[in-house]
Amino acid sequence: MQDESHPTQIGPYEVRQIIGRGAMGVIYEAYDPEADQRLAIKTLPLDVITDKSQLDTLEMNLRHEAKIASKLIHPNIVQIYGEVRCAEEGDVFFVVMEYVDGINFSVRMKQGPLPLWELRQIMVQVCDGLNYAHDQQVIHRDVKPGNILLTSDLQAKITDFGIAKVQRRATTILFNQTGKMVGTPSYMSPEQVTDSKVDRRTDVFSLGCILYRVLTGKKPFTGKTIVDTLVKIVREPPLPPRHHQPKLSASLEELVLKCLEKEKGDRYQSTLELREDLLELLPPPPENRNLWSPEGETMVDDGDLVSSQVHKRLQEVVEEKPAVSLPASDLDWCLYRAERYVERQTFLTALHEVRKALALEPRHPRATDLLGEISEALEVR
């Protein structure tokens, strides 16, 4: 996004590049010269609201919500710095936030299927962050993959606390003004669609939508139009996840469907409860043990489910290795990564690294040996 035109200055901050764009605003990477600090700035162009009284109410709500959200200090929540400010160009407000060097969960999902251990690591952290916010009486209201940021070491951080509530109100006003819905309702709960009271279980429903999407590759509620989708969210149960992914365990399917109950009382009553079941039903990272699911199925490589017979062929437990000297060349790096992926039984990723090594040096002895090992392992699948 670096080549897109953007303002060079917002308030006292130097704007470096656009790093995100949503239905109701743009996110910039920025720099605070006074504090010598890298920041993120989200703009909210509320000038699209033509009714002055509604605009004033939205501005007041935005300032209030951002002030509350700025008090949320947690490793799994993107911190908001200070209060909402108004840019010089008019009714374009902006919020200054912690800069997170990484990608959002939506981008990660597009890169390929997640192994179960990675899903576990991400979702448990998201549950932790939400549970902390809920204990402070703050409900997110727009939990979705695009609002979950991931660092290179897989730390998850939830963004848009406080802002999401006001954005939802703004989109409703716009819908009433123009008849057009801004954004997507895919992760909304039934109580949000019907404008009923929300609480911590509202965010649980959204987590269920994310889990459904990751585990099946499908959204739980889809219609030909946005209105059709909203009606399904309120009235129709989703297809069971195993309809799309038959090898998914029954217990994991039950977990997802419990999150997606229409009545709040039938869902997990907190993200803490959901967290406990995720820890029980999803496998830990491969540094600790082999990957498995509760009913004899194992997830390896880029997320493919294989039978317990294959699991017996891949039964050696992967242990943490002592520190080693770092490779010196691109070829060495490819071989180093390939060996680590083989140790973790992530064979498709290892194969990718070996192919890069062979492109650098055809017939390299170690690369050729690794290719044979990986090919043999993949034959059992």
Side-chain angles (χ1 to χ4, degrees):
M1 296 186 184
Q2 297 184 28
D3 58 344
E4 293 189 52
S5 60
H6 58 74
T8 58
Q9 193 90 8
I10 295 180
Y13 308 108
E14 299 172 8
V15 176
R16 292 182 169 174
Q17 63 173 315
I18 297 174
I19 55 175
R21 189 185 293 276
M24 285 295 294
V26 179
I27 306 170
Y28 301 98
E29 178 190 344
Y31 173 70
D32 182 351
E34 184 176 339
D36 188 23
Q37 185 178 12
R38 199 178 183 188
L39 302 165
I41 293 178
K42 180 161 189 174
T43 60
L44 300 161
L46 299 185
D47 55 336
V48 294
I49 307 300
T50 57
D51 186 294
K52 185 66 167 65
S53 63
Q54 290 180 328
L55 177 62
D56 290 342
T57 301
L58 276 176
E59 179 186 349
M60 182 177 64
N61 289 339
L62 181 58
R63 293 184 186 279
H64 175 70
E65 293 297 330
K67 186 175 181 179
I68 293 174
S70 67
K71 297 178 181 178
L72 298 176
I73 311 296
H74 189 275
N76 300 121
I77 294 176
V78 174
Q79 187 176 355
I80 291 178
Y81 298 133
E83 299 183 353
V84 173
R85 310 183 198 183
C86 184
E88 293 179 359
E89 50 266 41
D91 297 319
V92 177
F93 300 90
F94 67 92
V95 182
V96 182
M97 302 178 267
E98 167 191 4
Y99 179 85
V100 178
D101 191 4
I103 60 175
N104 68 44
F105 195 11
S106 180
V107 172
R108 171 62 189 92
M109 289 162 60
K110 292 175 184 176
Q111 291 175 346
L114 279 71
L116 287 178
W117 67 264
E118 186 177 340
L119 177 62
R120 178 191 201 251
Q121 192 160 338
I122 293 169
M123 296 303 291
V124 164
Q125 293 180 77
V126 172
C127 285
D128 285 341
L130 287 172
N131 188 66
Y132 166 80
H134 295 163
D135 285 347
Q136 315 305 312
Q137 308 304 311
V138 179
I139 311 303
H140 192 287
R141 293 175 168 81
D142 194 22
V143 181
K144 59 186 179 183
N147 281 337
I148 299 169
L149 305 182
L150 305 173
T151 65
S152 58
D153 59 354
L154 218 58
Q155 181 183 12
K157 283 180 168 284
I158 310 161
T159 189
D160 267 14
F161 266 104
I163 304 170
K165 180 178 181 180
V166 179
Q167 288 184 144
R168 285 286 187 199
R169 289 177 180 169
T171 56
T172 300
I173 293 171
L174 278 175
F175 179 73
N176 292 333
Q177 282 183 185
T178 66
K180 295 180 180 179
M181 177 71 77
V182 178
T184 173
S186 299
Y187 301 91
M188 287 177 69
S189 65
E191 57 269 23
Q192 287 176 287
V193 175
T194 59
D195 201 23
S196 304
K197 184 178 179 180
V198 301
D199 58 27
R200 62 176 65 208
R201 296 167 295 184
T202 299
D203 288 342
V204 168
F205 187 93
S206 298
L207 291 180
C209 293
I210 294 174
L211 287 166
Y212 192 105
R213 177 77 180 273
V214 174
L215 292 169
T216 69
K218 308 286 185 181
K219 294 178 181 178
F221 307 100
T222 56
K224 292 182 178 179
T225 66
I226 288 179
V227 173
D228 288 341
T229 300
L230 295 174
V231 169
K232 288 186 176 184
I233 290 172
V234 175
R235 296 181 181 174
E236 297 182 17
L239 286 171
R242 293 205 292 177
H243 173 83
H244 304 293
Q245 175 52 276
K247 292 184 177 180
L248 195 67
S249 67
S251 50
L252 200 50
E253 177 180 75
E254 184 180 349
L255 177 149
V256 175
L257 292 177
K258 185 174 180 179
C259 292
L260 295 175
E261 289 287 352
K262 305 298 184 189
E263 297 295 328
K264 290 185 287 187
D266 295 331
R267 298 174 204 157
Y268 285 97
Q269 297 303 287
S270 70
T271 58
L272 192 60
E273 283 185 16
L274 173 59
R275 179 188 191 276
E276 294 306 310
D277 277 1
L278 287 170
L279 286 172
E280 182 179 344
L281 297 178
L282 293 175
E287 289 83 0
N288 301 327
R289 54 180 292 176
N290 279 350
L291 305 181
W292 62 280
S293 73
E295 299 193 352
E297 295 161 345
T298 303
M299 184 170 278
V300 296
D301 300 328
D302 61 350
D304 294 328
L305 288 168
V306 298
S307 69
S308 57
Q309 289 182 329
V310 176
H311 181 250
K312 293 176 182 177
R313 295 285 300 272
L314 304 173
Q315 60 186 354
E316 196 171 345
V317 176
V318 180
E319 299 177 345
E320 188 68 31
K321 298 297 181 183
V324 295
S325 58
L326 295 178
S329 68
D330 290 343
L331 174 63
D332 290 337
W333 267 115
C334 291
L335 293 174
Y336 172 79
R337 288 193 295 263
E339 288 168 348
R340 300 292 82 76
Y341 285 127
V342 168
E343 289 172 356
R344 298 179 184 186
Q345 302 171 2
T346 314
F347 297 112
L348 291 180
T349 309
L351 180 60
H352 177 67
E353 294 295 337
V354 168
R355 284 173 175 167
K356 288 198 294 184
L358 288 170
L360 292 168
E361 186 177 327
R363 300 196 183 117
H364 186 281
R366 182 56 186 141
T368 303
D369 290 344
L370 281 169
L371 182 62
E373 291 178 34
I374 296 166
S375 299
E376 183 178 350
L378 290 174
E379 283 178 3
V380 304
R381 300 180 59 191

